[in-house]
Amino acid sequence: MEQYVIRGGNPLVGEVDIGGAKNAALAILAASVMTDETVRIDNLPDVRDINVLIQAMEEIGVSVQRTDRHTVIINAAGIQDLLVDNEYIKKIRASYYLLGALLGKYKRAEVALPGGCNIGSRPIDQHIKGFRALGANVRIAHGRVIAEAEKLTGRHIYMDVVTVGATINVMMAAALAEGRTIIENAAKEPHVVDLANFLNSMGANIKGAGTDVIRIRGVEKLHKTEYSVIPDQIEAGTFMFAAAATKGDVTVRNVIPKHLESITAKLIELGCEVRESDDEVRVVASGPLTHTHVKTLAYPGFPTDMQPQITTTLALSEGTSIVTESIFENRFKYVDELAKMGANIKVEGNTAIIDGISRYTGARISAPDLRAGAALVIAGLAAEGITVVDDIYYVERGYEDFDVKLRGLGAMIEKASTEKEIQKFQLKTG
Ligand code: UD1
């Protein structure tokens, strides 16, 4: 099992290129099976979640050709199987996007039921409600969601909660339904907009993505396209908070600053200087960090996927901060790991009360999930001494070359798989 071994204490300084958005790419990849013509997708991040979804697609007969590390050419004319089995769903929940995509195109799909995960239970009632509203018969049998329809018909659908997943799944099915669908209380995340743009580039008729009312006029079929995925807002935000926690000076390049507004606003409240230009944002943290409060919300609110990173940084800020998690029920597990590094954080229900300390001390910790794993790396970079982060498998689900990019900013971090390698790193950097 690989680990990150980190010698902390260096401010991160320099420029880092941000890759394509994992969550947008997952939706776009799934949607690419909705045409029999050839689709080319660019700016895909080379991360585990993406590669697993590609395997799941290949398994049902989709041809996927990787022309370079970040580009694929997809042709789904040869799909033979409408069943996505548990092996893939277990590895990556977002394989369930194939439900909406296949249901839209073939009027039938069967996908293993996604379970809970490390950040809490994750129901799919709104996905099912949306498919049923479009006229599909949806049942759960043998651990699978089976959706089928004679035909799909556009409807007015109100989402009871703001959900990225259900908005995306229903939008895909509705793109090939007959007539007009209106999704009310839709998620407004940048990846929802990116998927709508992608589908429109294939001939769909989707308006209003990015607002809470999405209007879809169904079309008969979709056609070929070439598309480039938007930059990853969360990867960018992670480096921005790493700059703050290490008192560094980091410019994230190839980003859309508008997507980073809630992150930028909080960094300014913490006392950082943030400078934006066309497609770059520079974060300079020279003085002491100050406390603030934050509540995670659907976009354009502060993202839940940045909650561990901001909590980790606030633990190094003067005074008392409060972080409220309002999207997922169990997203503070990593706090026990931060406590091993000296953090003073009390979790009550969905709230963390943080009393700032002046410095973390290195410890042996393990990543409980993807974003928390990245946050623990930030803690290690800011800590005195050596930190070993176990279970970096999680981090690699969503960050391409995380250690390489951090080294480019002056961090002392390496991957290790044995105690010997850890000791070697200690000697080398000591
Ligand atoms: C997506 C992101 C994830 C991010 C999350 C919130 C992907 C692949 N993943 O996850 O990184 O943390 O958005 O921004 O894009 N809910 C229901 N019923 C449903 C669906 C969701 O009650 O049918 C609830 C969930 O339990 C949660 C909230 O709605 O409390 C938001 O979930 P949702 O936006 O659907 O998250 P995901 O799409 O799973």
Side-chain angles (χ1 to χ4, degrees), residues 347-402:
V347 175
E348 280 174 14
N350 65 346
T351 304
I353 302 147
I354 306 161
D355 278 319
I357 55 167
S358 59
R359 185 123 240 209
Y360 287 120
T361 48
R364 184 146 199 158
I365 51 181
S366 59
D369 62 69
L370 163 59
R371 304 301 172 186
L376 294 176
V377 171
I378 295 179
L381 294 169
E384 197 182 292
I386 297 277
T387 296
V388 178
V389 183
D390 284 322
D391 294 337
I392 64 167
Y393 162 87
Y394 286 114
V395 179
E396 292 180 339
R397 282 187 39 206
Y399 292 87
E400 178 179 314
D401 293 342
F402 198 37

Side-chain angles (χ1 to χ4, degrees), residues 23 26 93-94 96-97 121-127 161-165 189 191 304-305 327-328 331:
N23 287 347
L26 289 169
R93 229 184 116 73
Y96 69 7
Y97 285 154
S121 84
R122 293 171 82 168
I124 57 159
D125 56 305
Q126 299 302 306
H127 303 238
V161 286
V162 178
T163 137
V164 173
E189 267 67 3
H191 35 299
T304 173
D305 285 355
I327 310 289
F328 292 114
R331 213 170 182 173

